[in-house]
PDB file of all heavy atoms in Angstrom:
ATOM      1  N   ILE W 210     -14.510 -12.257  -8.663  1.00 95.00           N
ATOM      2  CA  ILE W 210     -15.494 -11.269  -9.254  1.00 95.00           C
ATOM      3  C   ILE W 210     -15.352 -10.003  -8.469  1.00 95.00           C
ATOM      4  O   ILE W 210     -15.410  -8.982  -9.006  1.00 95.00           O
ATOM      5  CB  ILE W 210     -16.882 -11.916  -9.021  1.00 95.00           C
ATOM      6  CG1 ILE W 210     -17.067 -13.076 -10.044  1.00 95.00           C
ATOM      7  CG2 ILE W 210     -17.963 -10.752  -9.210  1.00 95.00           C
ATOM      8  CD1 ILE W 210     -18.504 -13.663  -9.978  1.00 95.00           C
ATOM      9  N   VAL W 211     -15.306 -10.174  -7.070  1.00 96.00           N
ATOM     10  CA  VAL W 211     -15.187  -8.906  -6.190  1.00 96.00           C
ATOM     11  C   VAL W 211     -13.908  -8.039  -6.638  1.00 96.00           C
ATOM     12  O   VAL W 211     -13.976  -6.873  -6.879  1.00 96.00           O
ATOM     13  CB  VAL W 211     -15.184  -9.189  -4.687  1.00 96.00           C
ATOM     14  CG1 VAL W 211     -14.726  -7.979  -3.973  1.00 96.00           C
ATOM     15  CG2 VAL W 211     -16.541  -9.661  -4.330  1.00 96.00           C
ATOM     16  N   ARG W 212     -12.836  -8.899  -6.777  1.00 97.00           N
ATOM     17  CA  ARG W 212     -11.633  -8.144  -7.181  1.00 97.00           C
ATOM     18  C   ARG W 212     -11.722  -7.394  -8.582  1.00 97.00           C
ATOM     19  O   ARG W 212     -11.263  -6.287  -8.838  1.00 97.00           O
ATOM     20  CB  ARG W 212     -10.365  -9.077  -7.164  1.00 97.00           C
ATOM     21  CG  ARG W 212      -9.874  -9.446  -5.767  1.00 97.00           C
ATOM     22  CD  ARG W 212      -8.531 -10.100  -5.966  1.00 97.00           C
ATOM     23  NE  ARG W 212      -8.572 -11.449  -6.487  1.00 97.00           N
ATOM     24  CZ  ARG W 212      -8.802 -12.535  -5.603  1.00 97.00           C
ATOM     25  NH1 ARG W 212      -8.958 -12.479  -4.330  1.00 97.00           N
ATOM     26  NH2 ARG W 212      -8.937 -13.700  -6.187  1.00 97.00           N
ATOM     27  N   ALA W 213     -12.472  -8.067  -9.486  1.00 95.00           N
ATOM     28  CA  ALA W 213     -12.561  -7.492 -10.851  1.00 95.00           C
ATOM     29  C   ALA W 213     -13.409  -6.227 -10.680  1.00 95.00           C
ATOM     30  O   ALA W 213     -13.118  -5.259 -11.367  1.00 95.00           O
ATOM     31  CB  ALA W 213     -13.253  -8.540 -11.772  1.00 95.00           C
ATOM     32  N   ILE W 214     -14.442  -6.167  -9.886  1.00 94.00           N
ATOM     33  CA  ILE W 214     -15.144  -5.038  -9.707  1.00 94.00           C
ATOM     34  C   ILE W 214     -14.374  -3.870  -9.136  1.00 94.00           C
ATOM     35  O   ILE W 214     -14.324  -2.770  -9.497  1.00 94.00           O
ATOM     36  CB  ILE W 214     -16.424  -5.286  -8.898  1.00 94.00           C
ATOM     37  CG1 ILE W 214     -17.338  -6.270  -9.547  1.00 94.00           C
ATOM     38  CG2 ILE W 214     -17.158  -4.036  -8.522  1.00 94.00           C
ATOM     39  CD1 ILE W 214     -18.551  -6.828  -8.706  1.00 94.00           C
ATOM     40  N   ILE W 215     -13.618  -4.308  -8.065  1.00 96.00           N
ATOM     41  CA  ILE W 215     -12.915  -3.293  -7.263  1.00 96.00           C
ATOM     42  C   ILE W 215     -11.833  -2.731  -8.255  1.00 96.00           C
ATOM     43  O   ILE W 215     -11.464  -1.524  -8.181  1.00 96.00           O
ATOM     44  CB  ILE W 215     -12.332  -3.910  -5.968  1.00 96.00           C
ATOM     45  CG1 ILE W 215     -13.314  -4.189  -5.119  1.00 96.00           C
ATOM     46  CG2 ILE W 215     -11.393  -2.867  -5.387  1.00 96.00           C
ATOM     47  CD1 ILE W 215     -14.279  -3.067  -4.609  1.00 96.00           C
ATOM     48  N   ARG W 216     -11.145  -3.570  -9.102  1.00 94.00           N
ATOM     49  CA  ARG W 216     -10.104  -3.203  -9.918  1.00 94.00           C
ATOM     50  C   ARG W 216     -10.570  -2.188 -11.029  1.00 94.00           C
ATOM     51  O   ARG W 216      -9.889  -1.240 -11.360  1.00 94.00           O
ATOM     52  CB  ARG W 216      -9.514  -4.536 -10.636  1.00 94.00           C
ATOM     53  CG  ARG W 216      -8.313  -4.278 -11.494  1.00 94.00           C
ATOM     54  CD  ARG W 216      -7.792  -5.578 -12.083  1.00 94.00           C
ATOM     55  NE  ARG W 216      -7.469  -6.546 -11.008  1.00 94.00           N
ATOM     56  CZ  ARG W 216      -8.032  -7.693 -10.880  1.00 94.00           C
ATOM     57  NH1 ARG W 216      -8.987  -8.102 -11.602  1.00 94.00           N
ATOM     58  NH2 ARG W 216      -7.689  -8.579  -9.866  1.00 94.00           N
ATOM     59  N   SER W 217     -11.885  -2.435 -11.499  1.00 92.00           N
ATOM     60  CA  SER W 217     -12.354  -1.553 -12.430  1.00 92.00           C
ATOM     61  C   SER W 217     -12.572  -0.069 -11.981  1.00 92.00           C
ATOM     62  O   SER W 217     -12.410   0.898 -12.667  1.00 92.00           O
ATOM     63  CB  SER W 217     -13.846  -2.026 -12.982  1.00 92.00           C
ATOM     64  OG  SER W 217     -13.664  -3.184 -13.658  1.00 92.00           O
ATOM     65  N   PHE W 218     -13.053   0.005 -10.511  1.00 93.00           N
ATOM     66  CA  PHE W 218     -13.241   1.196 -10.126  1.00 93.00           C
ATOM     67  C   PHE W 218     -12.052   1.914  -9.393  1.00 93.00           C
ATOM     68  O   PHE W 218     -11.852   3.014  -9.465  1.00 93.00           O
ATOM     69  CB  PHE W 218     -14.434   1.270  -9.058  1.00 93.00           C
ATOM     70  CG  PHE W 218     -15.709   1.016  -9.678  1.00 93.00           C
ATOM     71  CD1 PHE W 218     -16.416  -0.189  -9.753  1.00 93.00           C
ATOM     72  CD2 PHE W 218     -16.475   2.119 -10.131  1.00 93.00           C
ATOM     73  CE1 PHE W 218     -17.584  -0.382 -10.296  1.00 93.00           C
ATOM     74  CE2 PHE W 218     -17.710   2.036 -10.648  1.00 93.00           C
ATOM     75  CZ  PHE W 218     -18.309   0.722 -10.798  1.00 93.00           C
ATOM     76  N   TYR W 219     -11.179   1.030  -8.686  1.00 95.00           N
ATOM     77  CA  TYR W 219     -10.234   1.634  -7.879  1.00 95.00           C
ATOM     78  C   TYR W 219      -8.803   1.234  -8.083  1.00 95.00           C
ATOM     79  O   TYR W 219      -7.840   1.672  -7.443  1.00 95.00           O
ATOM     80  CB  TYR W 219     -10.583   1.357  -6.374  1.00 95.00           C
ATOM     81  CG  TYR W 219     -11.992   1.708  -6.024  1.00 95.00           C
ATOM     82  CD1 TYR W 219     -12.943   0.836  -5.520  1.00 95.00           C
ATOM     83  CD2 TYR W 219     -12.408   3.071  -6.246  1.00 95.00           C
ATOM     84  CE1 TYR W 219     -14.224   1.119  -5.165  1.00 95.00           C
ATOM     85  CE2 TYR W 219     -13.792   3.384  -5.872  1.00 95.00           C
ATOM     86  CZ  TYR W 219     -14.621   2.451  -5.368  1.00 95.00           C
ATOM     87  OH  TYR W 219     -15.850   2.791  -5.078  1.00 95.00           O
ATOM     88  N   GLY W 220      -8.646   0.203  -9.104  1.00 94.00           N
ATOM     89  CA  GLY W 220      -7.269  -0.177  -9.295  1.00 94.00           C
ATOM     90  C   GLY W 220      -6.807  -1.429  -8.638  1.00 94.00           C
ATOM     91  O   GLY W 220      -7.407  -1.850  -7.617  1.00 94.00           O
ATOM     92  N   GLU W 221      -5.707  -1.971  -9.038  1.00 95.00           N
ATOM     93  CA  GLU W 221      -5.094  -3.203  -8.544  1.00 95.00           C
ATOM     94  C   GLU W 221      -4.711  -3.083  -6.988  1.00 95.00           C
ATOM     95  O   GLU W 221      -4.984  -4.172  -6.331  1.00 95.00           O
ATOM     96  CB  GLU W 221      -4.001  -3.672  -9.408  1.00 95.00           C
ATOM     97  CG  GLU W 221      -3.382  -4.975  -8.980  1.00 95.00           C
ATOM     98  CD  GLU W 221      -4.425  -6.229  -9.067  1.00 95.00           C
ATOM     99  OE1 GLU W 221      -5.183  -6.071  -9.928  1.00 95.00           O
ATOM    100  OE2 GLU W 221      -4.303  -7.064  -8.214  1.00 95.00           O
ATOM    101  N   SER W 222      -4.250  -2.013  -6.655  1.00 96.00           N
ATOM    102  CA  SER W 222      -3.648  -1.966  -5.343  1.00 96.00           C
ATOM    103  C   SER W 222      -4.733  -2.127  -4.233  1.00 96.00           C
ATOM    104  O   SER W 222      -4.487  -2.592  -3.178  1.00 96.00           O
ATOM    105  CB  SER W 222      -2.745  -0.743  -5.112  1.00 96.00           C
ATOM    106  OG  SER W 222      -3.700   0.468  -5.098  1.00 96.00           O
ATOM    107  N   TYR W 223      -5.922  -1.696  -4.609  1.00 97.00           N
ATOM    108  CA  TYR W 223      -6.910  -1.939  -3.669  1.00 97.00           C
ATOM    109  C   TYR W 223      -7.707  -3.325  -3.979  1.00 97.00           C
ATOM    110  O   TYR W 223      -8.052  -4.024  -3.000  1.00 97.00           O
ATOM    111  CB  TYR W 223      -8.061  -0.740  -3.803  1.00 97.00           C
ATOM    112  CG  TYR W 223      -7.637   0.432  -3.125  1.00 97.00           C
ATOM    113  CD1 TYR W 223      -7.133   1.488  -3.816  1.00 97.00           C
ATOM    114  CD2 TYR W 223      -7.886   0.658  -1.714  1.00 97.00           C
ATOM    115  CE1 TYR W 223      -6.717   2.701  -3.144  1.00 97.00           C
ATOM    116  CE2 TYR W 223      -7.506   1.746  -1.000  1.00 97.00           C
ATOM    117  CZ  TYR W 223      -6.827   2.815  -1.735  1.00 97.00           C
ATOM    118  OH  TYR W 223      -6.445   3.950  -1.045  1.00 97.00           O
ATOM    119  N   ALA W 224      -7.700  -3.786  -5.141  1.00 97.00           N
ATOM    120  CA  ALA W 224      -8.346  -4.992  -5.468  1.00 97.00           C
ATOM    121  C   ALA W 224      -7.699  -6.070  -4.733  1.00 97.00           C
ATOM    122  O   ALA W 224      -8.349  -7.061  -4.129  1.00 97.00           O
ATOM    123  CB  ALA W 224      -8.304  -5.279  -7.038  1.00 97.00           C
ATOM    124  N   ARG W 225      -6.313  -6.082  -4.525  1.00 97.00           N
ATOM    125  CA  ARG W 225      -5.728  -7.268  -3.925  1.00 97.00           C
ATOM    126  C   ARG W 225      -6.005  -7.396  -2.419  1.00 97.00           C
ATOM    127  O   ARG W 225      -5.720  -8.415  -1.744  1.00 97.00           O
ATOM    128  CB  ARG W 225      -4.153  -7.216  -4.120  1.00 97.00           C
ATOM    129  CG  ARG W 225      -3.442  -6.179  -3.456  1.00 97.00           C
ATOM    130  CD  ARG W 225      -2.003  -6.432  -3.495  1.00 97.00           C
ATOM    131  NE  ARG W 225      -1.544  -6.391  -4.957  1.00 97.00           N
ATOM    132  CZ  ARG W 225      -0.920  -5.428  -5.482  1.00 97.00           C
ATOM    133  NH1 ARG W 225      -0.591  -4.216  -4.772  1.00 97.00           N
ATOM    134  NH2 ARG W 225      -0.462  -5.554  -6.729  1.00 97.00           N
ATOM    135  N   LYS W 226      -6.735  -6.464  -1.934  1.00 97.00           N
ATOM    136  CA  LYS W 226      -7.048  -6.502  -0.460  1.00 97.00           C
ATOM    137  C   LYS W 226      -8.211  -7.481  -0.177  1.00 97.00           C
ATOM    138  O   LYS W 226      -8.556  -7.836   0.759  1.00 97.00           O
ATOM    139  CB  LYS W 226      -7.466  -5.175   0.144  1.00 97.00           C
ATOM    140  CG  LYS W 226      -6.380  -4.076   0.208  1.00 97.00           C
ATOM    141  CD  LYS W 226      -6.986  -2.801   0.731  1.00 97.00           C
ATOM    142  CE  LYS W 226      -5.858  -1.848   1.029  1.00 97.00           C
ATOM    143  NZ  LYS W 226      -4.996  -2.156   2.088  1.00 97.00           N
ATOM    144  N   PHE W 227      -8.944  -7.830  -1.378  1.00 98.00           N
ATOM    145  CA  PHE W 227     -10.273  -8.548  -1.247  1.00 98.00           C
ATOM    146  C   PHE W 227      -9.979  -9.976  -1.492  1.00 98.00           C
ATOM    147  O   PHE W 227      -9.708 -10.371  -2.704  1.00 98.00           O
ATOM    148  CB  PHE W 227     -11.219  -7.951  -2.305  1.00 98.00           C
ATOM    149  CG  PHE W 227     -11.594  -6.534  -1.933  1.00 98.00           C
ATOM    150  CD1 PHE W 227     -10.782  -5.525  -2.231  1.00 98.00           C
ATOM    151  CD2 PHE W 227     -12.841  -6.333  -1.325  1.00 98.00           C
ATOM    152  CE1 PHE W 227     -11.165  -4.169  -1.861  1.00 98.00           C
ATOM    153  CE2 PHE W 227     -13.187  -4.988  -1.066  1.00 98.00           C
ATOM    154  CZ  PHE W 227     -12.483  -3.959  -1.318  1.00 98.00           C
ATOM    155  N   THR W 228     -10.041 -10.854  -0.472  1.00 98.00           N
ATOM    156  CA  THR W 228      -9.909 -12.234  -0.491  1.00 98.00           C
ATOM    157  C   THR W 228     -11.006 -12.874   0.089  1.00 98.00           C
ATOM    158  O   THR W 228     -11.930 -12.426   0.764  1.00 98.00           O
ATOM    159  CB  THR W 228      -8.528 -12.531   0.254  1.00 98.00           C
ATOM    160  OG1 THR W 228      -8.682 -12.324   1.632  1.00 98.00           O
ATOM    161  CG2 THR W 228      -7.386 -11.839  -0.248  1.00 98.00           C
ATOM    162  N   THR W 229     -11.002 -14.302  -0.067  1.00 97.00           N
ATOM    163  CA  THR W 229     -12.180 -15.076   0.549  1.00 97.00           C
ATOM    164  C   THR W 229     -12.128 -14.969   2.018  1.00 97.00           C
ATOM    165  O   THR W 229     -13.249 -15.008   2.660  1.00 97.00           O
ATOM    166  CB  THR W 229     -11.897 -16.548   0.166  1.00 97.00           C
ATOM    167  OG1 THR W 229     -10.596 -17.050   0.595  1.00 97.00           O
ATOM    168  CG2 THR W 229     -12.149 -16.818  -1.168  1.00 97.00           C
ATOM    169  N   SER W 230     -10.999 -14.593   2.566  1.00 96.00           N
ATOM    170  CA  SER W 230     -11.040 -14.468   4.134  1.00 96.00           C
ATOM    171  C   SER W 230     -11.252 -13.060   4.523  1.00 96.00           C
ATOM    172  O   SER W 230     -11.598 -12.709   5.745  1.00 96.00           O
ATOM    173  CB  SER W 230      -9.762 -15.027   4.727  1.00 96.00           C
ATOM    174  OG  SER W 230      -8.682 -14.366   4.139  1.00 96.00           O
ATOM    175  N   SER W 231     -11.127 -12.042   3.663  1.00 97.00           N
ATOM    176  CA  SER W 231     -11.179 -10.695   4.067  1.00 97.00           C
ATOM    177  C   SER W 231     -12.633 -10.088   3.790  1.00 97.00           C
ATOM    178  O   SER W 231     -13.015  -9.270   4.457  1.00 97.00           O
ATOM    179  CB  SER W 231     -10.198  -9.662   3.505  1.00 97.00           C
ATOM    180  OG  SER W 231     -10.428  -9.616   2.048  1.00 97.00           O
ATOM    181  N   ILE W 232     -13.363 -10.696   2.846  1.00 97.00           N
ATOM    182  CA  ILE W 232     -14.589 -10.123   2.377  1.00 97.00           C
ATOM    183  C   ILE W 232     -15.664 -10.566   3.422  1.00 97.00           C
ATOM    184  O   ILE W 232     -15.847 -11.665   3.866  1.00 97.00           O
ATOM    185  CB  ILE W 232     -15.075 -10.744   1.026  1.00 97.00           C
ATOM    186  CG1 ILE W 232     -14.019 -10.156  -0.103  1.00 97.00           C
ATOM    187  CG2 ILE W 232     -16.381 -10.321   0.663  1.00 97.00           C
ATOM    188  CD1 ILE W 232     -14.113 -10.919  -1.337  1.00 97.00           C
ATOM    189  N   THR W 233     -16.474  -9.587   3.904  1.00 95.00           N
ATOM    190  CA  THR W 233     -17.496  -9.804   4.861  1.00 95.00           C
ATOM    191  C   THR W 233     -18.879  -9.576   4.182  1.00 95.00           C
ATOM    192  O   THR W 233     -18.947  -9.143   3.008  1.00 95.00           O
ATOM    193  CB  THR W 233     -17.427  -8.810   6.042  1.00 95.00           C
ATOM    194  OG1 THR W 233     -17.690  -7.470   5.432  1.00 95.00           O
ATOM    195  CG2 THR W 233     -16.069  -8.942   6.645  1.00 95.00           C
ATOM    196  N   ASP W 234     -20.008  -9.990   4.837  1.00 93.00           N
ATOM    197  CA  ASP W 234     -21.312  -9.744   4.367  1.00 93.00           C
ATOM    198  C   ASP W 234     -21.512  -8.166   4.109  1.00 93.00           C
ATOM    199  O   ASP W 234     -22.068  -7.742   3.083  1.00 93.00           O
ATOM    200  CB  ASP W 234     -22.360 -10.079   5.358  1.00 93.00           C
ATOM    201  CG  ASP W 234     -22.442 -11.712   5.477  1.00 93.00           C
ATOM    202  OD1 ASP W 234     -21.709 -12.434   4.734  1.00 93.00           O
ATOM    203  OD2 ASP W 234     -23.227 -12.204   6.293  1.00 93.00           O
ATOM    204  N   GLU W 235     -20.919  -7.428   4.928  1.00 94.00           N
ATOM    205  CA  GLU W 235     -21.006  -5.900   4.745  1.00 94.00           C
ATOM    206  C   GLU W 235     -20.244  -5.487   3.486  1.00 94.00           C
ATOM    207  O   GLU W 235     -20.800  -4.579   2.767  1.00 94.00           O
ATOM    208  CB  GLU W 235     -20.425  -5.238   5.969  1.00 94.00           C
ATOM    209  CG  GLU W 235     -20.751  -3.665   5.951  1.00 94.00           C
ATOM    210  CD  GLU W 235     -20.044  -2.993   7.143  1.00 94.00           C
ATOM    211  OE1 GLU W 235     -19.540  -3.633   8.095  1.00 94.00           O
ATOM    212  OE2 GLU W 235     -20.040  -1.732   7.114  1.00 94.00           O
TER     213      GLU W 235
END
Side-chain angles (χ1 to χ4, degrees):
Chain W
I210 288 174
V211 168
R212 280 194 291 273
I214 293 170
I215 297 298
R216 190 177 296 120
S217 292
F218 285 100
Y219 309 122
E221 181 60 36
S222 65
Y223 282 97
R225 68 167 63 104
K226 291 177 177 294
F227 294 77
T228 65
T229 52
S230 54
S231 70
I232 295 168
T233 65
D234 289 357
E235 189 185 350

